[in-house]
């Protein structure tokens, strides 16, 4: 999860700067990051907010953009044996990067030998997702803290960082 968190940090920092530039308060900016763990969704929401879009349009657009996570979660659920609470926590942490890291992880082989379980330990998945999530939240907070120190033109170009993350 740490490599993902390191990769998320600059994108989240850019989100924090952009959200403040769009008129959100620091509290609103951080709250969105805490509740909506989707970089693409958050950047889109900021752009739509700054354009004056109504909340229903922002929510609908986010649902459409994030539909892929339902498919990822359904596919990944076959690798887990967890209760509903853990399933919800794990589902919240599914992003493109955490999905790949968790999905391609090998299940543990029992210490006594034998065949490995086809299921991943929930602690492993929660660890990957939690560390990645922490990187996003810390990056957003850093963006809030440093937004006032950046030149105006610099913050206008922050939107490109989300695309750079996929390169």
């Amino acid at each position: 999860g740490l490599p993902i968190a390191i990769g998320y940090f600059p994108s989240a920092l850019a989100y924090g700067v952009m959200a403040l530039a769009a008129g959100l308060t620091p509290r609103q900016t951080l709250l969105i990051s805490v509740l909506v763990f989707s970089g693409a969704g958050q950047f889109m929401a900021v752009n739509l907010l700054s354009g004056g879009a109504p909340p229903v349009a922002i929510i609908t657009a986010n649902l459409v953009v994030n539909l892929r996570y339902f498919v990822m979660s359904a596919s990944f659920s076959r690798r887990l044996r967890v209760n509903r609470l853990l399933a919800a926590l794990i589902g919240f942490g599914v992003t493109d990067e955490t999905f790949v890291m968790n999905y391609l992880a090998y299940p543990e082989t029992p210490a006594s030998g034998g065949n490995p379980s086809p299921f991943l330990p929930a602690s492993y998945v929660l660890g990957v997702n939690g560390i990645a999530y922490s990187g996003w939240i810390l990056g957003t907070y850093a963006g809030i803290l440093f937004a006032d120190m950046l030149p105006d033109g610099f913050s206008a170009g922050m939107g490109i960082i989300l695309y750079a993350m996929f390169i």
Side-chain angles (χ1 to χ4, degrees):
L2 189 57
I4 296 171
I6 292 168
Y8 281 175
F9 191 88
S11 297
L13 187 144
Y15 160 74
V17 170
M18 285 182 57
L20 293 179
L24 272 70
T25 67
R27 179 176 283 173
Q28 290 168 329
T29 300
L30 192 59
L31 186 63
I32 289 172
S33 268
V34 168
L35 298 177
V36 182
F37 185 33
S38 166
Q42 289 176 235
F43 276 94
M44 182 181 55
V46 166
N47 286 326
L48 290 172
L49 277 170
S50 65
V56 70
I58 296 168
I59 292 167
T60 303
N62 258 287
L63 285 173
V64 171
V65 165
N66 293 313
L67 276 174
R68 69 187 186 279
Y69 296 130
F70 290 111
V71 176
M72 289 179 192
S73 295
S75 174
F76 186 54
S77 69
R78 295 179 296 143
R79 304 268 330 261
L80 299 169
R81 180 162 284 156
V82 294
N83 62 39
R84 289 180 190 215
L85 176 61
L86 283 177
L89 286 172
I90 289 170
F92 177 77
V94 172
T95 64
D96 300 318
E97 296 82 7
T98 61
F99 170 77
V100 170
M101 184 171 239
N102 286 319
Y103 195 82
L104 296 179
Y106 291 102
E108 292 182 1
T109 302
S112 62
N115 294 330
S117 167
F119 302 107
L120 288 172
S123 58
Y124 172 83
V125 178
L126 289 169
V128 168
N129 293 3
I131 292 168
Y133 178 69
S134 297
W136 186 264
I137 300 302
L138 290 172
T140 300
Y141 188 67
I144 291 167
L145 290 178
F146 297 117
D148 291 338
M149 297 178 203
L150 299 173
D152 291 336
F154 189 79
S155 62
M158 288 290 212
I160 196 70
I161 289 182
L162 178 68
Y163 303 109
M165 186 172 81
F166 292 105
I167 295 175

